[in-house]
Amino acid sequence: MIGFAIALGLAATTPVQTPPPAAASPAQALGQCMAMKTTGEDRILVARWMLVAMASGPQMTGVVTVQPGQKEKYDRGMATLFTRLLVTDCPDLSRAVFKLRDNAAFRVAGESLGQVAMQELLTNPQASAALGAYVKYLDLEAFKKVTTP
């Protein structure tokens, strides 16, 4: 049962890797390009920007503290990164998505970037272990209801 709990914890904290579709939409293709053109440093910037943005919400009061000027620093860094990715690294794919005039398409592309940023963080054993640490608090008796016939 402990093994099952650990597997459950790993499944819940491991990013899902799905093969790219045979005929990717323009948004998916742009997302793939953006993900491929980022460096580890770029991905850490994205992850930090996401954390700072999430920490700005009232739900995070008392959990994460953002120092004055940090949000602007990461906003500027993301603006520079997005400009590079959309204008320099993936211009043809970016042009195709701009032609769609659909903000949702850019969200789809951005999701790819967010996924690789999280994967970058999870390559660190400390971060990966911290995400899976909740497993030790699972009520294994409760799981018997769904794991036994």
Side-chain angles (χ1 to χ4, degrees):
M1 187 61 153
I2 297 290
F4 173 76
I6 292 170
L8 177 66
L10 291 174
T13 59
T14 303
V16 176
Q17 297 259 348
T18 55
S25 72
Q28 291 167 326
L30 177 59
Q32 290 171 2
C33 180
M34 290 169 55
M36 295 297 294
K37 295 293 184 171
T38 56
T39 64
E41 188 176 315
D42 293 335
R43 294 171 186 157
I44 295 299
L45 169 68
V46 173
R48 288 179 176 174
W49 171 78
M50 289 169 62
L51 176 64
V52 168
M54 288 185 284
S56 299
Q59 303 91 334
M60 295 298 160
T61 300
V63 176
V64 178
T65 303
V66 178
Q67 299 299 318
Q70 288 293 94
K71 173 105 172 57
E72 182 179 350
K73 171 186 172 184
Y74 290 112
D75 284 346
R76 289 179 183 275
M78 280 302 296
T80 300
L81 176 61
F82 262 71
T83 300
R84 187 193 89 211
L85 291 171
L86 295 176
V87 175
T88 304
D89 295 342
C90 307
D92 295 335
L93 298 168
S94 177
R95 191 174 295 111
V97 174
F98 274 111
K99 283 183 182 180
L100 296 174
R101 299 198 183 284
D102 181 6
N103 287 339
F106 280 102
R107 278 194 295 276
V108 168
E111 287 173 4
S112 295
L113 191 54
Q115 287 175 349
V116 296
M118 291 302 101
Q119 288 171 353
E120 185 75 26
L121 287 179
L122 292 177
T123 61
N124 178 286
Q126 283 179 282
S128 186
L131 276 174
Y134 78 94
V135 171
K136 64 186 171 193
Y137 301 107
L138 288 174
D139 180 352
L140 299 180
E141 282 299 312
F143 278 94
K144 286 183 179 178
K145 295 176 187 175
V146 294
T147 60
T148 55

